[in-house]
Amino acid sequence: RKEVEQDPGPFNVPEGATVAFNCTYSNSASQSFFWYRQDCRKEPKLLMSVYSSGNEDGRFTAQLNRASQYISLLIRDSKLSDSATYLCVVNGPDTGNQFYFGTGTSLTVIP
Amino acid sequence: DAGVIQSPRHEVTEMGQEVTLRCKPISGHDYLFWYRQTMMRGLELLIYFNNNVPIDDSGMPEDRFSAKMPNASFSTLKIQPSEPRDSAVYFCASSLGVKGPYEQYFGPGTRLTVT
């Protein structure tokens, strides 16, 4: 079983739409959670960390559900510039301090 | 800071040749990671170092792959001999830590094609 699983999509949404991605993780002892963004043919970059209480950064909201072992990313009022692949990342001492990346969810925002 | 620097950006080589990828982490970062990304398998951790010491190399595919970090500002990933299935984008990343919400900073990657 993979450490981190994501729906690969693709998600094709119109500008202004709200879109949500989910990601599940297998190790209940995981402690740190992140969403990274990767543009085509570029390197991954941190979008936001995910905190237990949930956190928001502008149009982006991240949530953590430890009981069900999933994290989510909500994007409101989608912009064309949001088109990218979104990677879910999990790590913690019990995962050998490794960062486990999901395979990514592809988002295309359509004019 | 210039960020994580990788070279070369592109490498095309023939099967059986030796390939060496290079990485310079961000100054002050104690952790350095090597990843491989393919469409089929996504981003896979190959090996990571802490203070120049390899901590976990369980992701290294086989003996053809080796990685070194002779000092805090330089690391290499070597493939010898290379095979077509090694074709992928290889990323180097560095971070201040791993226990907690530490961001990983990625280099631009090396796109390797083995023919």
Side-chain angles (χ1 to χ4, degrees):
Chain A
R1 183 183 175 187
K2 289 184 178 179
E3 293 283 342
V4 179
E5 299 209 49
Q6 290 183 253
D7 179 349
F11 285 67
N12 299 313
V13 303
E15 268 187 293
T18 295
V19 62
F21 309 135
N22 284 336
C23 165
T24 58
Y25 59 95
S26 60
N27 190 330
S28 60
S30 299
Q31 295 191 359
S32 298
F33 309 89
F34 312 84
W35 284 101
Y36 277 68
R37 169 188 170 135
Q38 186 172 22
D39 292 301
C40 186
R41 302 180 76 86
K42 297 286 189 181
E43 71 273 22
K45 292 184 178 179
L46 180 68
L47 176 66
M48 57 197 306
S49 301
V50 186
Y51 300 115
S52 296
S53 56
N55 46 301
E56 187 174 308
D57 182 3
R59 298 181 294 108
F60 298 83
T61 301
Q63 295 280 351
L64 167 64
N65 185 318
R66 285 193 181 274
S68 301
Q69 293 181 212
Y70 78 83
I71 66 174
S72 63
L73 178 67
L74 182 77
I75 305 175
R76 293 181 299 277
D77 188 23
S78 300
K79 310 291 185 191
L80 296 177
S81 57
D82 294 335
S83 297
T85 296
Y86 291 84
L87 303 165
C88 165
V89 185
V90 172
N91 94 318
D94 286 342
T95 60
N97 288 327
Q98 287 194 19
F99 288 81
Y100 288 97
F101 282 74
T103 53
T105 299
S106 174
L107 171 67
T108 300
V109 180
I110 304 164
Chain B
D1 199 318
V4 176
I5 298 172
Q6 289 187 249
S7 65
R9 295 291 302 276
H10 301 273
E11 178 80 31
V12 180
T13 191
E14 292 183 348
M15 182 173 62
Q17 296 298 306
E18 177 179 295
V19 175
T20 300
L21 311 181
R22 297 172 176 80
C23 175
K24 176 179 168 55
I26 292 173
S27 177
H29 283 193
D30 293 332
Y31 289 82
L32 183 141
F33 307 81
W34 281 102
Y35 292 90
R36 176 173 68 177
Q37 187 174 40
T38 61
M39 288 292 292
M40 292 298 294
R41 301 174 67 89
L43 201 62
E44 301 174 283
L45 178 68
L46 301 177
I47 185 172
Y48 80 92
F49 295 82
N50 177 212
N51 292 323
N52 314 336
V53 176
I55 302 301
D56 187 342
D57 64 355
S58 59
M60 296 286 262
E62 48 200 270
D63 292 346
R64 297 185 298 107
F65 285 68
S66 63
K68 294 182 180 180
M69 192 165 186
N71 57 63
S73 59
F74 184 65
S75 177
T76 60
L77 178 67
K78 187 175 293 186
I79 308 172
Q80 167 63 21
S82 58
E83 297 182 3
R85 60 191 168 123
D86 301 331
S87 297
V89 181
Y90 291 80
F91 288 105
C92 175
S94 69
S95 74
L96 287 169
V98 292
K99 294 182 180 180
Y102 288 104
E103 177 179 357
Q104 287 201 356
Y105 295 82
F106 284 78
T110 295
R111 189 169 296 273
L112 174 65
T113 303
V114 183
T115 61

PDB file of all heavy atoms in Angstrom, chain A residues 44-67:
ATOM      1  N   PRO A  44       8.768  21.054  -7.816  1.00  0.00           N
ATOM      2  CA  PRO A  44       7.710  21.278  -6.825  1.00  0.00           C
ATOM      3  C   PRO A  44       8.079  22.443  -5.903  1.00  0.00           C
ATOM      4  O   PRO A  44       9.251  22.638  -5.561  1.00  0.00           O
ATOM      5  CB  PRO A  44       7.660  19.969  -6.041  1.00  0.00           C
ATOM      6  CG  PRO A  44       8.353  18.957  -6.894  1.00  0.00           C
ATOM      7  CD  PRO A  44       9.396  19.726  -7.662  1.00  0.00           C
ATOM      8  N   LYS A  45       7.046  23.182  -5.506  1.00  0.00           N
ATOM      9  CA  LYS A  45       7.252  24.275  -4.549  1.00  0.00           C
ATOM     10  C   LYS A  45       6.165  24.217  -3.495  1.00  0.00           C
ATOM     11  O   LYS A  45       5.007  23.874  -3.789  1.00  0.00           O
ATOM     12  CB  LYS A  45       7.220  25.636  -5.265  1.00  0.00           C
ATOM     13  CG  LYS A  45       8.394  25.856  -6.195  1.00  0.00           C
ATOM     14  CD  LYS A  45       8.370  27.242  -6.809  1.00  0.00           C
ATOM     15  CE  LYS A  45       9.580  27.452  -7.704  1.00  0.00           C
ATOM     16  NZ  LYS A  45       9.584  28.789  -8.341  1.00  0.00           N
ATOM     17  N   LEU A  46       6.536  24.565  -2.258  1.00  0.00           N
ATOM     18  CA  LEU A  46       5.574  24.511  -1.173  1.00  0.00           C
ATOM     19  C   LEU A  46       4.427  25.488  -1.412  1.00  0.00           C
ATOM     20  O   LEU A  46       4.653  26.675  -1.656  1.00  0.00           O
ATOM     21  CB  LEU A  46       6.260  24.837   0.161  1.00  0.00           C
ATOM     22  CG  LEU A  46       5.339  24.822   1.379  1.00  0.00           C
ATOM     23  CD1 LEU A  46       4.864  23.399   1.666  1.00  0.00           C
ATOM     24  CD2 LEU A  46       6.040  25.402   2.593  1.00  0.00           C
ATOM     25  N   LEU A  47       3.214  24.979  -1.323  1.00  0.00           N
ATOM     26  CA  LEU A  47       2.025  25.833  -1.406  1.00  0.00           C
ATOM     27  C   LEU A  47       1.613  26.234   0.008  1.00  0.00           C
ATOM     28  O   LEU A  47       1.450  27.415   0.311  1.00  0.00           O
ATOM     29  CB  LEU A  47       0.892  25.084  -2.098  1.00  0.00           C
ATOM     30  CG  LEU A  47      -0.438  25.800  -2.192  1.00  0.00           C
ATOM     31  CD1 LEU A  47      -0.327  27.034  -3.091  1.00  0.00           C
ATOM     32  CD2 LEU A  47      -1.531  24.872  -2.706  1.00  0.00           C
ATOM     33  N   MET A  48       1.430  25.230   0.851  1.00  0.00           N
ATOM     34  CA  MET A  48       1.099  25.515   2.250  1.00  0.00           C
ATOM     35  C   MET A  48       1.291  24.278   3.107  1.00  0.00           C
ATOM     36  O   MET A  48       1.153  23.146   2.628  1.00  0.00           O
ATOM     37  CB  MET A  48      -0.324  26.048   2.398  1.00  0.00           C
ATOM     38  CG  MET A  48      -1.413  25.167   1.847  1.00  0.00           C
ATOM     39  SD  MET A  48      -3.003  26.034   1.615  1.00  0.00           S
ATOM     40  CE  MET A  48      -3.307  26.742   3.220  1.00  0.00           C
ATOM     41  N   SER A  49       1.626  24.504   4.363  1.00  0.00           N
ATOM     42  CA  SER A  49       1.635  23.427   5.347  1.00  0.00           C
ATOM     43  C   SER A  49       0.199  23.221   5.813  1.00  0.00           C
ATOM     44  O   SER A  49      -0.644  24.106   5.669  1.00  0.00           O
ATOM     45  CB  SER A  49       2.519  23.784   6.531  1.00  0.00           C
ATOM     46  OG  SER A  49       3.846  24.021   6.114  1.00  0.00           O
ATOM     47  N   VAL A  50      -0.076  22.063   6.351  1.00  0.00           N
ATOM     48  CA  VAL A  50      -1.424  21.745   6.826  1.00  0.00           C
ATOM     49  C   VAL A  50      -1.360  21.533   8.324  1.00  0.00           C
ATOM     50  O   VAL A  50      -0.643  20.647   8.796  1.00  0.00           O
ATOM     51  CB  VAL A  50      -1.979  20.480   6.145  1.00  0.00           C
ATOM     52  CG1 VAL A  50      -3.438  20.265   6.545  1.00  0.00           C
ATOM     53  CG2 VAL A  50      -1.849  20.563   4.636  1.00  0.00           C
ATOM     54  N   TYR A  51      -2.103  22.327   9.059  1.00  0.00           N
ATOM     55  CA  TYR A  51      -2.092  22.233  10.513  1.00  0.00           C
ATOM     56  C   TYR A  51      -3.359  21.544  11.009  1.00  0.00           C
ATOM     57  O   TYR A  51      -4.375  21.515  10.328  1.00  0.00           O
ATOM     58  CB  TYR A  51      -1.961  23.630  11.121  1.00  0.00           C
ATOM     59  CG  TYR A  51      -0.695  24.324  10.682  1.00  0.00           C
ATOM     60  CD1 TYR A  51      -0.753  25.473   9.902  1.00  0.00           C
ATOM     61  CD2 TYR A  51       0.556  23.824  11.022  1.00  0.00           C
ATOM     62  CE1 TYR A  51       0.406  26.117   9.481  1.00  0.00           C
ATOM     63  CE2 TYR A  51       1.717  24.446  10.607  1.00  0.00           C
ATOM     64  CZ  TYR A  51       1.633  25.585   9.840  1.00  0.00           C
ATOM     65  OH  TYR A  51       2.786  26.207   9.417  1.00  0.00           O
ATOM     66  N   SER A  52      -3.264  21.015  12.202  1.00  0.00           N
ATOM     67  CA  SER A  52      -4.369  20.220  12.757  1.00  0.00           C
ATOM     68  C   SER A  52      -5.683  20.984  12.794  1.00  0.00           C
ATOM     69  O   SER A  52      -6.746  20.418  12.590  1.00  0.00           O
ATOM     70  CB  SER A  52      -4.019  19.757  14.165  1.00  0.00           C
ATOM     71  OG  SER A  52      -2.910  18.897  14.147  1.00  0.00           O
ATOM     72  N   SER A  53      -5.584  22.278  13.046  1.00  0.00           N
ATOM     73  CA  SER A  53      -6.794  23.082  13.165  1.00  0.00           C
ATOM     74  C   SER A  53      -7.305  23.571  11.825  1.00  0.00           C
ATOM     75  O   SER A  53      -8.311  24.258  11.744  1.00  0.00           O
ATOM     76  CB  SER A  53      -6.509  24.279  14.069  1.00  0.00           C
ATOM     77  OG  SER A  53      -5.409  25.005  13.567  1.00  0.00           O
ATOM     78  N   GLY A  54      -6.580  23.212  10.776  1.00  0.00           N
ATOM     79  CA  GLY A  54      -6.933  23.722   9.454  1.00  0.00           C
ATOM     80  C   GLY A  54      -6.359  25.117   9.273  1.00  0.00           C
ATOM     81  O   GLY A  54      -6.150  25.841  10.250  1.00  0.00           O
ATOM     82  N   ASN A  55      -6.058  25.476   8.064  1.00  0.00           N
ATOM     83  CA  ASN A  55      -5.494  26.791   7.838  1.00  0.00           C
ATOM     84  C   ASN A  55      -5.877  27.297   6.451  1.00  0.00           C
ATOM     85  O   ASN A  55      -6.168  26.524   5.545  1.00  0.00           O
ATOM     86  CB  ASN A  55      -3.978  26.791   8.040  1.00  0.00           C
ATOM     87  CG  ASN A  55      -3.258  25.647   7.370  1.00  0.00           C
ATOM     88  OD1 ASN A  55      -3.512  24.469   7.639  1.00  0.00           O
ATOM     89  ND2 ASN A  55      -2.360  25.972   6.466  1.00  0.00           N
ATOM     90  N   GLU A  56      -5.847  28.621   6.355  1.00  0.00           N
ATOM     91  CA  GLU A  56      -6.306  29.286   5.136  1.00  0.00           C
ATOM     92  C   GLU A  56      -5.248  30.285   4.694  1.00  0.00           C
ATOM     93  O   GLU A  56      -4.603  30.946   5.521  1.00  0.00           O
ATOM     94  CB  GLU A  56      -7.628  29.998   5.446  1.00  0.00           C
ATOM     95  CG  GLU A  56      -8.333  30.594   4.248  1.00  0.00           C
ATOM     96  CD  GLU A  56      -9.706  31.143   4.637  1.00  0.00           C
ATOM     97  OE1 GLU A  56     -10.498  30.402   5.246  1.00  0.00           O
ATOM     98  OE2 GLU A  56      -9.965  32.325   4.334  1.00  0.00           O
ATOM     99  N   ASP A  57      -5.083  30.364   3.392  1.00  0.00           N
ATOM    100  CA  ASP A  57      -4.162  31.356   2.829  1.00  0.00           C
ATOM    101  C   ASP A  57      -4.828  31.912   1.583  1.00  0.00           C
ATOM    102  O   ASP A  57      -4.766  31.302   0.507  1.00  0.00           O
ATOM    103  CB  ASP A  57      -2.823  30.694   2.486  1.00  0.00           C
ATOM    104  CG  ASP A  57      -1.808  31.698   1.950  1.00  0.00           C
ATOM    105  OD1 ASP A  57      -2.126  32.899   1.892  1.00  0.00           O
ATOM    106  OD2 ASP A  57      -0.696  31.263   1.603  1.00  0.00           O
ATOM    107  N   GLY A  58      -5.491  33.028   1.762  1.00  0.00           N
ATOM    108  CA  GLY A  58      -6.200  33.618   0.626  1.00  0.00           C
ATOM    109  C   GLY A  58      -7.299  32.693   0.119  1.00  0.00           C
ATOM    110  O   GLY A  58      -8.201  32.315   0.865  1.00  0.00           O
ATOM    111  N   ARG A  59      -7.213  32.315  -1.122  1.00  0.00           N
ATOM    112  CA  ARG A  59      -8.249  31.465  -1.723  1.00  0.00           C
ATOM    113  C   ARG A  59      -8.053  29.979  -1.406  1.00  0.00           C
ATOM    114  O   ARG A  59      -8.865  29.146  -1.807  1.00  0.00           O
ATOM    115  CB  ARG A  59      -8.233  31.669  -3.244  1.00  0.00           C
ATOM    116  CG  ARG A  59      -8.554  33.085  -3.681  1.00  0.00           C
ATOM    117  CD  ARG A  59      -8.541  33.225  -5.198  1.00  0.00           C
ATOM    118  NE  ARG A  59      -7.197  33.030  -5.767  1.00  0.00           N
ATOM    119  CZ  ARG A  59      -6.836  31.965  -6.460  1.00  0.00           C
ATOM    120  NH1 ARG A  59      -7.684  30.975  -6.676  1.00  0.00           N
ATOM    121  NH2 ARG A  59      -5.602  31.877  -6.948  1.00  0.00           N
ATOM    122  N   PHE A  60      -7.005  29.656  -0.710  1.00  0.00           N
ATOM    123  CA  PHE A  60      -6.645  28.263  -0.446  1.00  0.00           C
ATOM    124  C   PHE A  60      -6.919  27.904   1.012  1.00  0.00           C
ATOM    125  O   PHE A  60      -6.530  28.633   1.919  1.00  0.00           O
ATOM    126  CB  PHE A  60      -5.159  28.024  -0.757  1.00  0.00           C
ATOM    127  CG  PHE A  60      -4.802  28.264  -2.194  1.00  0.00           C
ATOM    128  CD1 PHE A  60      -4.528  29.539  -2.658  1.00  0.00           C
ATOM    129  CD2 PHE A  60      -4.744  27.216  -3.093  1.00  0.00           C
ATOM    130  CE1 PHE A  60      -4.204  29.765  -3.987  1.00  0.00           C
ATOM    131  CE2 PHE A  60      -4.413  27.422  -4.426  1.00  0.00           C
ATOM    132  CZ  PHE A  60      -4.147  28.706  -4.871  1.00  0.00           C
ATOM    133  N   THR A  61      -7.578  26.756   1.206  1.00  0.00           N
ATOM    134  CA  THR A  61      -7.850  26.257   2.549  1.00  0.00           C
ATOM    135  C   THR A  61      -7.407  24.805   2.631  1.00  0.00           C
ATOM    136  O   THR A  61      -7.762  23.997   1.767  1.00  0.00           O
ATOM    137  CB  THR A  61      -9.343  26.341   2.895  1.00  0.00           C
ATOM    138  OG1 THR A  61      -9.768  27.695   2.809  1.00  0.00           O
ATOM    139  CG2 THR A  61      -9.612  25.814   4.295  1.00  0.00           C
ATOM    140  N   ALA A  62      -6.637  24.492   3.664  1.00  0.00           N
ATOM    141  CA  ALA A  62      -6.178  23.121   3.874  1.00  0.00           C
ATOM    142  C   ALA A  62      -6.773  22.571   5.157  1.00  0.00           C
ATOM    143  O   ALA A  62      -6.901  23.290   6.151  1.00  0.00           O
ATOM    144  CB  ALA A  62      -4.652  23.080   3.949  1.00  0.00           C
ATOM    145  N   GLN A  63      -7.163  21.319   5.117  1.00  0.00           N
ATOM    146  CA  GLN A  63      -7.746  20.667   6.284  1.00  0.00           C
ATOM    147  C   GLN A  63      -7.062  19.327   6.527  1.00  0.00           C
ATOM    148  O   GLN A  63      -6.626  18.665   5.586  1.00  0.00           O
ATOM    149  CB  GLN A  63      -9.244  20.412   6.068  1.00  0.00           C
ATOM    150  CG  GLN A  63     -10.095  21.664   5.937  1.00  0.00           C
ATOM    151  CD  GLN A  63     -10.420  22.290   7.276  1.00  0.00           C
ATOM    152  OE1 GLN A  63     -10.148  21.703   8.325  1.00  0.00           O
ATOM    153  NE2 GLN A  63     -10.978  23.490   7.257  1.00  0.00           N
ATOM    154  N   LEU A  64      -7.014  18.950   7.808  1.00  0.00           N
ATOM    155  CA  LEU A  64      -6.451  17.658   8.186  1.00  0.00           C
ATOM    156  C   LEU A  64      -7.499  16.887   8.974  1.00  0.00           C
ATOM    157  O   LEU A  64      -8.091  17.424   9.908  1.00  0.00           O
ATOM    158  CB  LEU A  64      -5.193  17.856   9.045  1.00  0.00           C
ATOM    159  CG  LEU A  64      -4.644  16.625   9.774  1.00  0.00           C
ATOM    160  CD1 LEU A  64      -4.185  15.563   8.789  1.00  0.00           C
ATOM    161  CD2 LEU A  64      -3.512  17.029  10.711  1.00  0.00           C
ATOM    162  N   ASN A  65      -7.740  15.659   8.603  1.00  0.00           N
ATOM    163  CA  ASN A  65      -8.643  14.786   9.340  1.00  0.00           C
ATOM    164  C   ASN A  65      -7.855  13.566   9.790  1.00  0.00           C
ATOM    165  O   ASN A  65      -7.636  12.632   9.010  1.00  0.00           O
ATOM    166  CB  ASN A  65      -9.834  14.375   8.463  1.00  0.00           C
ATOM    167  CG  ASN A  65     -10.863  13.562   9.224  1.00  0.00           C
ATOM    168  OD1 ASN A  65     -10.528  12.680  10.014  1.00  0.00           O
ATOM    169  ND2 ASN A  65     -12.132  13.840   8.997  1.00  0.00           N
ATOM    170  N   ARG A  66      -7.397  13.596  11.034  1.00  0.00           N
ATOM    171  CA  ARG A  66      -6.540  12.503  11.524  1.00  0.00           C
ATOM    172  C   ARG A  66      -7.333  11.204  11.690  1.00  0.00           C
ATOM    173  O   ARG A  66      -6.795  10.126  11.470  1.00  0.00           O
ATOM    174  CB  ARG A  66      -5.901  12.887  12.855  1.00  0.00           C
ATOM    175  CG  ARG A  66      -4.765  13.892  12.723  1.00  0.00           C
ATOM    176  CD  ARG A  66      -3.987  13.981  14.029  1.00  0.00           C
ATOM    177  NE  ARG A  66      -2.905  14.931  13.958  1.00  0.00           N
ATOM    178  CZ  ARG A  66      -1.689  14.629  13.505  1.00  0.00           C
ATOM    179  NH1 ARG A  66      -1.418  13.407  13.065  1.00  0.00           N
ATOM    180  NH2 ARG A  66      -0.742  15.548  13.478  1.00  0.00           N
ATOM    181  N   ALA A  67      -8.563  11.308  12.083  1.00  0.00           N
ATOM    182  CA  ALA A  67      -9.365  10.100  12.313  1.00  0.00           C
ATOM    183  C   ALA A  67      -9.504   9.289  11.034  1.00  0.00           C
ATOM    184  O   ALA A  67      -9.427   8.059  11.041  1.00  0.00           O
ATOM    185  CB  ALA A  67     -10.735  10.478  12.865  1.00  0.00           C
TER     186      ALA A  67
END
